[in-house]
Amino acid sequence: MAEENHMPADDMAVETADALVVAEDVRKSFGRLEVLKGIDLEVRRGEVMCVVGPSGSGKSTFLRCVNHLEKLTAGRLWVNGELMGYRQRRGRLYELRDSEIAAQRSDIGMVFQRFNLFPHLTVLGNIIEAPTQVKRTPKARATERAMELLDRVGLPDKANAYPEQLSGGQQQRVAIARALAMEPSLMLFDEPTSALDPELVGEVLDVMRDLARGGMTMVVVTHEMGFAREVGDSLVFMDDGAVVEAGTPAEVLSNPRHERTRAFLSKVIQ
Ligand SMILES: Nc1ncnc2c1ncn2[C@@H]1O[C@H](COP(=O)(O)OP(=O)(O)OP(=O)(O)O)[C@@H](O)[C@H]1O
Ligand SMILES: [Mg+2]
């Protein structure tokens, strides 16, 4: 259990410098199944990190650990200098209250494979929900900001549509706008295009590319190697709960060092 970790200092102010995310020996087990076997990673501010790896290698579990949707079995994870999900006192970790965890999470936007918009709310309603409910942003201000975001994701005329009236690609762009409405400092994407028809993938990747250009820090689990190569600052290959290889996309894609990376890439790159 994470509570059994022992560290010398209390509530260490972590010197994360340029790193927005620091994962230190992150471990996660479900019962006897060890899914993450000690992940060490750093994501710098403004960095776009792409994560690839075979099904079941632990990519989604790692993303879920970053925003504490999963409790760590061991290790530590900092976002923006804050220990995610825990407070450290006399070398012991204590889980934060739900409200404290929610506050930490509000700084992290997450976009999943399946569009998880609220079906009973309009596009606008979806986007202003969290800012008005969680951040208590006045409705007029939240609406103004939502319209700017809809413009940014190329859907200025869909504010009053319901999710079911949109294509998958449009829904996914609304999901991105909704995450951005909380003005997060980090965006996590879990295969945001893999449930889309091929002709809709490009429009979502375009929005993500634009976000990356704007300096957003992003961790993107994806099988879109073209996107990883072009937009990613770093590429991480995970297999069996561990980081096998990490480097620039050019390094990892053109000159993989490990046989497991080579075998995986030969399957996903035609
Ligand atoms: N809540 C859970 N309870 C038990 N096992 C789980 C749970 N969530 C994930 N797992 C297991 O953890 C392993 C890693 O799953 P994870 O979803 O992180 O893989 P992934 O790399 O995202 O795979 P994919 O590419 O298919 O999305 C799998 O063996 C999965 O069955
Ligand atoms: Mg997954």
Side-chain angles (χ1 to χ4, degrees):
M1 297 300 105
E3 283 73 11
E4 284 165 17
N5 283 325
H6 291 278
M7 291 286 285
D10 287 358
D11 256 359
M12 277 190 321
V14 178
E15 193 41 73
T16 53
D18 285 350
L20 184 66
V21 182
V22 178
E24 211 177 79
D25 196 31
V26 167
R27 292 169 186 269
K28 176 68 186 176
S29 297
F30 294 105
R32 272 185 288 172
L33 180 67
E34 194 180 25
V35 171
L36 298 178
K37 300 178 178 176
I39 303 283
D40 293 291
L41 278 180
E42 282 194 16
V43 187
R44 298 183 320 277
R45 286 172 203 281
E47 177 175 344
V48 178
M49 176 182 281
C50 293
V51 180
V52 300
S55 182
S57 56
K59 306 179 298 294
S60 296
T61 303
F62 178 70
L63 280 195
R64 291 169 57 79
C65 285
V66 172
N67 62 5
H68 203 65
L69 287 171
E70 299 288 356
K71 293 178 192 179
L72 309 191
T73 310
R76 282 170 172 67
L77 219 154
W78 289 268
V79 176
N80 230 345
E82 282 192 38
L83 191 59
M84 280 303 292
Y86 299 96
R87 171 181 293 113
Q88 189 165 304
R89 285 269 181 269
R90 297 195 190 88
R92 294 179 76 84
L93 295 182
Y94 300 92
E95 196 166 24
L96 296 177
R97 285 194 296 270
D98 286 351
S99 60
E100 296 170 308
I101 293 170
Q104 287 187 327
R105 242 181 235 149
S106 70
D107 196 33
I108 305 173
M110 184 142 184
V111 178
F112 301 89
Q113 178 174 9
R114 297 251 161 224
F115 345 109
N116 48 341
L117 300 175
F118 305 117
H120 61 289
L121 294 180
T122 62
V123 163
L124 183 62
N126 267 278
I127 299 175
I128 67 171
E129 171 81 5
T132 55
Q133 299 299 312
V134 180
K135 282 197 170 170
R136 306 275 168 218
T137 306
K139 195 172 172 193
R141 172 74 195 111
T143 301
E144 193 185 328
R145 168 98 180 118
M147 296 312 292
E148 287 166 17
L149 287 167
L150 279 176
D151 204 36
R152 188 162 167 196
V153 301
L155 297 169
D157 49 359
K158 295 294 186 190
N160 296 315
Y162 283 86
E164 65 177 14
Q165 298 169 321
L166 302 180
S167 72
Q170 290 171 334
Q171 288 188 45
Q172 209 54 329
R173 286 186 279 153
V174 173
I176 294 172
R178 186 176 62 171
L180 292 175
M182 289 295 277
E183 303 185 314
S185 49
L186 171 68
M187 286 284 287
L188 306 175
F189 292 89
D190 194 356
E191 301 198 39
T193 60
S194 58
L196 298 177
D197 291 338
E199 72 273 22
L200 302 179
V201 168
E203 64 191 51
V204 175
L205 293 181
D206 284 346
V207 168
M208 292 169 63
R209 187 180 290 117
D210 178 62
L211 202 52
R213 283 207 191 104
M216 178 60 77
T217 311
M218 297 162 57
V219 181
V220 185
V221 174
T222 184
H223 292 299
E224 296 292 334
M225 294 299 165
F227 177 85
R229 186 185 283 273
E230 185 204 326
V231 181
D233 298 299
S234 56
L235 182 62
V236 170
F237 171 64
M238 278 181 68
D239 192 13
D240 197 21
V243 172
V244 174
E245 188 155 356
T248 67
E251 277 166 7
V252 177
L253 293 173
S254 313
N255 196 14
R257 290 159 188 247
H258 294 270
E259 182 49 40
R260 279 195 283 173
T261 318
R262 263 179 242 135
F264 174 77
L265 292 176
S266 71
K267 281 184 216 148
V268 294
I269 300 174
Q270 277 78 39

